[in-house]
mmCIF file of all heavy atoms in Angstrom:
data_model
loop_
_atom_site.group_PDB
_atom_site.id
_atom_site.type_symbol
_atom_site.label_atom_id
_atom_site.label_comp_id
_atom_site.label_asym_id
_atom_site.label_seq_id
_atom_site.Cartn_x
_atom_site.Cartn_y
_atom_site.Cartn_z
ATOM 1 N N GLY M 1 72.037 -69.303 39.596
ATOM 2 C CA GLY M 1 71.992 -70.193 40.743
ATOM 3 C C GLY M 1 72.014 -69.476 42.074
ATOM 4 O O GLY M 1 72.348 -70.080 43.104
ATOM 5 N N ARG M 2 71.638 -68.207 42.076
ATOM 6 C CA ARG M 2 71.634 -67.413 43.312
ATOM 7 C C ARG M 2 70.212 -66.961 43.641
ATOM 8 O O ARG M 2 69.308 -67.049 42.806
ATOM 9 C CB ARG M 2 72.546 -66.193 43.163
ATOM 10 C CG ARG M 2 73.966 -66.516 42.727
ATOM 11 C CD ARG M 2 74.692 -67.478 43.653
ATOM 12 N NE ARG M 2 76.041 -67.752 43.197
ATOM 13 C CZ ARG M 2 77.115 -67.096 43.596
ATOM 14 N NH1 ARG M 2 76.997 -66.103 44.470
ATOM 15 N NH2 ARG M 2 78.300 -67.415 43.129
ATOM 16 N N ARG M 3 70.057 -66.423 44.843
ATOM 17 C CA ARG M 3 68.752 -65.928 45.277
ATOM 18 C C ARG M 3 68.856 -64.467 45.689
ATOM 19 O O ARG M 3 69.814 -64.056 46.342
ATOM 20 C CB ARG M 3 68.220 -66.751 46.453
ATOM 21 C CG ARG M 3 67.839 -68.173 46.073
ATOM 22 C CD ARG M 3 67.214 -68.899 47.248
ATOM 23 N NE ARG M 3 66.028 -68.209 47.726
ATOM 24 C CZ ARG M 3 65.404 -68.524 48.865
ATOM 25 N NH1 ARG M 3 65.889 -69.484 49.636
ATOM 26 N NH2 ARG M 3 64.327 -67.869 49.240
ATOM 27 N N LEU M 4 67.850 -63.716 45.329
ATOM 28 C CA LEU M 4 67.797 -62.294 45.654
ATOM 29 C C LEU M 4 67.234 -62.102 47.060
ATOM 30 O O LEU M 4 66.263 -62.756 47.455
ATOM 31 C CB LEU M 4 66.938 -61.561 44.634
ATOM 32 C CG LEU M 4 66.735 -60.045 44.820
ATOM 33 C CD1 LEU M 4 66.655 -59.360 43.455
ATOM 34 C CD2 LEU M 4 65.461 -59.736 45.626
ATOM 35 N N ILE M 5 67.852 -61.176 47.790
ATOM 36 C CA ILE M 5 67.306 -60.736 49.063
ATOM 37 C C ILE M 5 67.323 -59.218 49.056
ATOM 38 O O ILE M 5 68.229 -58.589 48.500
ATOM 39 C CB ILE M 5 68.106 -61.307 50.267
ATOM 40 C CG1 ILE M 5 67.461 -60.899 51.595
ATOM 41 C CG2 ILE M 5 69.572 -60.902 50.219
ATOM 42 C CD1 ILE M 5 68.037 -61.632 52.803
ATOM 43 N N GLY M 6 66.276 -58.608 49.627
ATOM 44 C CA GLY M 6 66.190 -57.156 49.665
ATOM 45 C C GLY M 6 65.443 -56.685 50.890
ATOM 46 O O GLY M 6 64.774 -57.468 51.575
ATOM 47 N N TRP M 7 65.565 -55.406 51.177
ATOM 48 C CA TRP M 7 64.844 -54.805 52.309
ATOM 49 C C TRP M 7 63.341 -54.842 52.052
ATOM 50 O O TRP M 7 62.893 -55.053 50.927
ATOM 51 C CB TRP M 7 65.315 -53.376 52.530
ATOM 52 C CG TRP M 7 66.779 -53.265 52.842
ATOM 53 C CD1 TRP M 7 67.755 -52.770 52.022
ATOM 54 C CD2 TRP M 7 67.439 -53.662 54.047
ATOM 55 N NE1 TRP M 7 68.981 -52.835 52.641
ATOM 56 C CE2 TRP M 7 68.821 -53.379 53.882
ATOM 57 C CE3 TRP M 7 67.010 -54.236 55.246
ATOM 58 C CZ2 TRP M 7 69.756 -53.650 54.879
ATOM 59 C CZ3 TRP M 7 67.951 -54.497 56.240
ATOM 60 C CH2 TRP M 7 69.304 -54.199 56.049
ATOM 61 N N ASP M 8 62.549 -54.633 53.099
ATOM 62 C CA ASP M 8 61.110 -54.900 52.978
ATOM 63 C C ASP M 8 60.382 -53.973 52.003
ATOM 64 O O ASP M 8 59.256 -54.265 51.612
ATOM 65 C CB ASP M 8 60.428 -54.880 54.352
ATOM 66 C CG ASP M 8 60.668 -53.613 55.142
ATOM 67 O OD1 ASP M 8 60.142 -52.560 54.770
ATOM 68 O OD2 ASP M 8 61.390 -53.686 56.161
ATOM 69 N N GLU M 9 61.016 -52.889 51.536
ATOM 70 C CA GLU M 9 60.382 -52.058 50.525
ATOM 71 C C GLU M 9 60.159 -52.798 49.209
ATOM 72 O O GLU M 9 59.354 -52.365 48.378
ATOM 73 C CB GLU M 9 61.216 -50.795 50.255
ATOM 74 C CG GLU M 9 61.105 -49.733 51.330
ATOM 75 C CD GLU M 9 62.214 -49.827 52.366
ATOM 76 O OE1 GLU M 9 62.706 -50.951 52.605
ATOM 77 O OE2 GLU M 9 62.583 -48.797 52.947
ATOM 78 N N ILE M 10 60.870 -53.916 49.005
ATOM 79 C CA ILE M 10 60.664 -54.647 47.752
ATOM 80 C C ILE M 10 59.282 -55.299 47.712
ATOM 81 O O ILE M 10 58.868 -55.815 46.661
ATOM 82 C CB ILE M 10 61.761 -55.710 47.511
ATOM 83 C CG1 ILE M 10 61.711 -56.835 48.546
ATOM 84 C CG2 ILE M 10 63.138 -55.067 47.468
ATOM 85 C CD1 ILE M 10 62.683 -57.978 48.250
ATOM 86 N N LEU M 11 58.554 -55.251 48.826
ATOM 87 C CA LEU M 11 57.171 -55.719 48.832
ATOM 88 C C LEU M 11 56.256 -54.771 48.065
ATOM 89 O O LEU M 11 55.214 -55.178 47.553
ATOM 90 C CB LEU M 11 56.671 -55.844 50.277
ATOM 91 C CG LEU M 11 57.174 -57.036 51.101
ATOM 92 C CD1 LEU M 11 57.016 -56.748 52.582
ATOM 93 C CD2 LEU M 11 56.417 -58.293 50.709
ATOM 94 N N GLU M 12 56.633 -53.505 47.998
ATOM 95 C CA GLU M 12 55.781 -52.490 47.388
ATOM 96 C C GLU M 12 55.696 -52.698 45.880
ATOM 97 O O GLU M 12 56.719 -52.815 45.208
ATOM 98 C CB GLU M 12 56.322 -51.092 47.713
ATOM 99 C CG GLU M 12 56.343 -50.800 49.204
ATOM 100 C CD GLU M 12 57.147 -49.548 49.556
ATOM 101 O OE1 GLU M 12 57.666 -48.900 48.619
ATOM 102 O OE2 GLU M 12 57.268 -49.247 50.758
ATOM 103 N N GLY M 13 54.508 -52.760 45.362
ATOM 104 C CA GLY M 13 54.322 -52.963 43.938
ATOM 105 C C GLY M 13 54.332 -54.417 43.534
ATOM 106 O O GLY M 13 54.220 -54.738 42.352
ATOM 107 N N GLY M 14 54.448 -55.328 44.490
ATOM 108 C CA GLY M 14 54.461 -56.754 44.195
ATOM 109 C C GLY M 14 55.835 -57.345 44.381
ATOM 110 O O GLY M 14 56.828 -56.786 43.932
ATOM 111 N N LEU M 15 55.901 -58.481 45.045
ATOM 112 C CA LEU M 15 57.185 -59.101 45.395
ATOM 113 C C LEU M 15 57.625 -60.073 44.304
ATOM 114 O O LEU M 15 56.839 -60.874 43.797
ATOM 115 C CB LEU M 15 57.050 -59.842 46.726
ATOM 116 C CG LEU M 15 58.320 -60.358 47.387
ATOM 117 C CD1 LEU M 15 59.314 -59.243 47.621
ATOM 118 C CD2 LEU M 15 57.969 -61.042 48.707
ATOM 119 N N ALA M 16 58.896 -59.988 43.945
ATOM 120 C CA ALA M 16 59.457 -60.910 42.965
ATOM 121 C C ALA M 16 59.333 -62.342 43.478
ATOM 122 O O ALA M 16 59.489 -62.596 44.678
ATOM 123 C CB ALA M 16 60.919 -60.565 42.700
ATOM 124 N N PRO M 17 59.035 -63.301 42.587
ATOM 125 C CA PRO M 17 58.708 -64.672 43.005
ATOM 126 C C PRO M 17 59.744 -65.347 43.912
ATOM 127 O O PRO M 17 59.394 -65.985 44.890
ATOM 128 C CB PRO M 17 58.581 -65.423 41.672
ATOM 129 C CG PRO M 17 58.218 -64.377 40.682
ATOM 130 C CD PRO M 17 58.933 -63.126 41.122
ATOM 131 N N GLY M 18 61.036 -65.197 43.588
ATOM 132 C CA GLY M 18 62.052 -65.898 44.362
ATOM 133 C C GLY M 18 62.701 -65.077 45.451
ATOM 134 O O GLY M 18 63.669 -65.519 46.075
ATOM 135 N N ALA M 19 62.184 -63.875 45.698
ATOM 136 C CA ALA M 19 62.850 -62.942 46.605
ATOM 137 C C ALA M 19 62.705 -63.333 48.071
ATOM 138 O O ALA M 19 61.684 -63.866 48.496
ATOM 139 C CB ALA M 19 62.311 -61.534 46.398
ATOM 140 N N THR M 20 63.742 -63.052 48.823
ATOM 141 C CA THR M 20 63.725 -63.157 50.278
ATOM 142 C C THR M 20 63.700 -61.748 50.843
ATOM 143 O O THR M 20 64.392 -60.856 50.350
ATOM 144 C CB THR M 20 64.969 -63.908 50.785
ATOM 145 O OG1 THR M 20 64.920 -65.259 50.313
ATOM 146 C CG2 THR M 20 65.037 -63.919 52.304
ATOM 147 N N VAL M 21 62.901 -61.533 51.869
ATOM 148 C CA VAL M 21 62.707 -60.198 52.438
ATOM 149 C C VAL M 21 63.469 -60.053 53.739
ATOM 150 O O VAL M 21 63.393 -60.914 54.619
ATOM 151 C CB VAL M 21 61.208 -59.920 52.673
ATOM 152 C CG1 VAL M 21 61.006 -58.620 53.449
ATOM 153 C CG2 VAL M 21 60.462 -59.855 51.344
ATOM 154 N N MET M 22 64.209 -58.952 53.855
ATOM 155 C CA MET M 22 64.854 -58.580 55.111
ATOM 156 C C MET M 22 64.035 -57.426 55.685
ATOM 157 O O MET M 22 64.046 -56.318 55.157
ATOM 158 C CB MET M 22 66.311 -58.183 54.871
ATOM 159 C CG MET M 22 67.086 -57.910 56.139
ATOM 160 S SD MET M 22 68.879 -57.703 55.838
ATOM 161 C CE MET M 22 69.373 -59.423 55.688
ATOM 162 N N SER M 23 63.315 -57.701 56.752
ATOM 163 C CA SER M 23 62.345 -56.745 57.290
ATOM 164 C C SER M 23 63.000 -55.842 58.327
ATOM 165 O O SER M 23 63.332 -56.288 59.423
ATOM 166 C CB SER M 23 61.170 -57.508 57.914
ATOM 167 O OG SER M 23 60.132 -56.649 58.275
ATOM 168 N N TRP M 24 63.184 -54.559 57.968
ATOM 169 C CA TRP M 24 63.884 -53.631 58.854
ATOM 170 C C TRP M 24 62.986 -52.541 59.421
ATOM 171 O O TRP M 24 63.291 -51.950 60.455
ATOM 172 C CB TRP M 24 65.064 -52.989 58.125
ATOM 173 C CG TRP M 24 64.704 -51.906 57.134
ATOM 174 C CD1 TRP M 24 64.256 -52.064 55.867
ATOM 175 C CD2 TRP M 24 64.772 -50.490 57.354
ATOM 176 N NE1 TRP M 24 64.039 -50.846 55.265
ATOM 177 C CE2 TRP M 24 64.358 -49.855 56.158
ATOM 178 C CE3 TRP M 24 65.159 -49.687 58.436
ATOM 179 C CZ2 TRP M 24 64.299 -48.474 56.020
ATOM 180 C CZ3 TRP M 24 65.111 -48.305 58.292
ATOM 181 C CH2 TRP M 24 64.682 -47.707 57.098
ATOM 182 N N ARG M 25 61.859 -52.237 58.795
ATOM 183 C CA ARG M 25 60.997 -51.148 59.264
ATOM 184 C C ARG M 25 59.980 -51.634 60.292
ATOM 185 O O ARG M 25 58.921 -51.041 60.467
ATOM 186 C CB ARG M 25 60.280 -50.509 58.078
ATOM 187 C CG ARG M 25 61.198 -49.831 57.078
ATOM 188 C CD ARG M 25 60.435 -49.209 55.926
ATOM 189 N NE ARG M 25 59.682 -50.202 55.178
ATOM 190 C CZ ARG M 25 58.846 -49.919 54.182
ATOM 191 N NH1 ARG M 25 58.648 -48.657 53.820
ATOM 192 N NH2 ARG M 25 58.206 -50.883 53.548
ATOM 193 N N GLY M 26 60.308 -52.684 60.980
ATOM 194 C CA GLY M 26 59.392 -53.311 61.913
ATOM 195 C C GLY M 26 59.215 -54.768 61.526
ATOM 196 O O GLY M 26 59.992 -55.326 60.749
#
């Protein structure tokens, strides 16, 4: 019942369906 959040590198290689992105490199 939780949601994943990660830094914007998690975009690399394809983003997990339910992921939220924290964009720090710009």
Side-chain angles (χ1 to χ4, degrees):
R2 306 303 180 94
R3 291 185 59 190
L4 179 145
I5 183 169
W7 300 109
D8 54 70
E9 284 95 330
I10 66 174
L11 285 159
E12 299 168 1
L15 190 57
T20 295
V21 172
M22 185 171 281
S23 188
W24 76 280
R25 296 180 299 175

